[in-house]
Amino acid sequence: MPLLHQTSRSRQLFLVSMLALSLLIVPHALKAQSVPVAPTPDAQTAHASVFLPLVVNATTVSSSNWQLNGQEQQVEALFRNDPEQHRQNPTRNDTLSQVARARAEDMAQRNYFSHTNPDGHLANYMVEQAGYLLPDFYPNNDNNIESIGKNYATPADAWQAWKNSPAHRVHVLGEETFYAAQTDYGIGYAENANGKYWVVITARH
């Protein structure tokens, strides 16, 4: 056989072998590339991951995850069991509980005592921002739902102070129809060097 023909045939065999080999390798390479890999966060991405431990929408927090602290439990017992309570079947609400706790903590941390926080917001606005929708006739940034107290030594002292105040009494005991209709509630308590802060929020949809 002429040398030129042998060389051409060898090249053909070589090319066929390489093609067959590539058909075996390429699918495996493509399969490996299709496997998702979690990206390694760089410094900028990691810095952008910010978590805000503030009030969150109740749809993201189940009832079983919300725990009252000891002082809140005692205020709740007084609120629910007071023989002068006019509300029928009061129901603890997670969103209102979170807002009440956040209100107490905010007053303690920022050292103020007011229904209006330093940002100019009141309770109606805060509960709606947290996902609890009030009736349309409630003013957006007003307070029709909150009673607060400061520096009472015990839950019983705070509760009695509210009962002794005519303006607070009608709220916490639901003595007027407007407040009696607010059967959802949340209790908040926080303390630090700035004082002891007590909060009761009642509301309705």
Side-chain angles (χ1 to χ4, degrees):
M1 182 180 294
L3 180 60
L4 180 61
H5 185 70
Q6 286 182 343
T7 303
S8 176
R9 174 121 183 147
S10 297
R11 285 179 180 172
Q12 288 177 356
L13 290 173
F14 176 75
L15 290 173
V16 169
S17 299
M18 291 302 295
L19 179 61
L21 185 60
S22 68
L23 290 174
L24 292 172
I25 293 174
V26 170
H28 291 288
L30 292 175
K31 185 177 179 181
Q33 290 175 8
S34 69
V35 177
V37 179
T40 302
D42 57 21
Q44 184 176 0
T45 304
H47 182 69
S49 300
V50 179
F51 297 92
L52 301 176
L54 302 175
V55 179
V56 298
N57 193 308
T59 58
T60 64
V61 180
S62 66
S63 297
S64 60
N65 288 337
W66 185 258
Q67 298 293 326
L68 299 177
N69 61 39
Q71 290 85 356
E72 291 165 351
Q73 290 176 19
Q74 293 179 61
V75 173
E76 179 182 57
L78 292 164
F79 174 84
R80 292 182 60 87
N81 300 320
D82 193 298
E84 298 180 88
Q85 180 61 260
H86 287 68
R87 291 179 176 85
Q88 299 296 316
N89 301 316
T91 303
R92 189 201 313 158
N93 177 274
D94 280 352
T95 303
L96 301 182
S97 297
Q98 292 174 70
V99 175
R101 172 84 62 80
R103 285 281 294 130
E105 291 177 343
D106 188 51
M107 287 189 287
Q109 292 167 7
R110 294 205 274 180
N111 193 23
Y112 72 96
F113 180 64
S114 173
H115 290 295
T116 306
N117 72 12
D119 306 310
H121 300 310
L122 287 94
N124 289 14
Y125 174 85
M126 293 181 213
V127 300
E128 292 213 304
Q129 287 297 109
Y132 187 102
L133 299 182
L134 296 169
D136 291 340
F137 60 87
Y138 278 48
N140 179 52
N141 193 26
D142 205 337
N143 174 38
N144 303 111
I145 59 176
E146 177 189 75
S147 286
I148 59 178
K150 181 181 179 182
N151 284 344
Y152 295 104
T154 68
D157 291 339
W159 183 251
Q160 193 60 48
W162 284 323
K163 288 183 63 176
N164 291 343
S165 166
H168 293 90
R169 178 184 179 88
V170 295
H171 171 233
V172 297
L173 293 175
E175 290 184 332
E176 295 178 358
T177 304
F178 178 85
Y179 294 116
Q182 297 175 344
T183 55
D184 291 342
Y185 70 88
I187 310 292
Y189 174 81
E191 68 174 279
N192 62 15
N194 293 323
K196 302 174 184 287
Y197 297 84
W198 308 86
V199 178
V200 171
I201 291 177
T202 63
R204 53 165 289 195
H205 290 296

